[in-house]
Amino acid sequence: RRAMGRLHGAIALLVALLCGGAWSLLWAARLSHQIKFDRADRTEMDELQSPISDSAFYLSYFYDVARAPSLTEGLSRLLHDGRSEAPDTVNALHKFNVAPE
């Protein structure tokens, strides 16, 4: 019985160490990503040119609407997008699913 208790204790310690190690690796990966990409001194151009998936693509549409003088002008920019498939003009709201569901 005493040997079984020690075995259970050793297994519990091993599981705890593995969980702690996995958590530490995930935390270090997140910290590394945060240091690399989540800096306060980044300009808008840095954000738009950042190699993080398609987020920069959709962020450019956000800036188009946010910088527009009115909401109707911003929506017009999305409905008549001439940048993404130049020289053709496309409806970015429809083609790229820009509007949140």
Side-chain angles (χ1 to χ4, degrees):
R1 289 187 172 224
R2 187 175 263 193
M4 281 303 266
R6 286 185 183 169
L7 181 62
H8 286 267
I11 290 173
L13 179 63
L14 180 62
V15 168
L17 288 174
L18 287 174
C19 288
W23 182 85
S24 296
L25 286 174
L26 289 172
W27 183 81
R30 171 63 186 132
L31 183 62
S32 172
H33 176 82
Q34 189 174 12
I35 289 170
K36 190 173 183 181
F37 295 110
D38 296 343
R39 296 188 334 251
D41 62 332
R42 289 178 47 159
T43 65
E44 287 180 10
M45 270 321 259
D46 289 338
E47 289 179 17
L48 291 172
Q49 294 174 350
S50 178
I52 304 174
S53 68
D54 295 330
S55 63
F57 181 68
Y58 292 102
L59 185 62
S60 70
Y61 287 119
F62 168 78
Y63 283 134
D64 283 348
V65 175
R67 291 179 180 147
S70 67
L71 181 59
T72 55
E73 174 65 26
L75 289 175
S76 176
R77 290 179 185 184
L78 293 179
L79 294 173
H80 308 288
D81 175 34
R83 296 176 304 160
S84 59
E85 293 188 8
D88 297 330
T89 300
V90 296
N91 179 344
L93 284 175
H94 176 71
K95 183 157 183 121
F96 303 115
N97 199 19
V98 173
E101 296 178 7

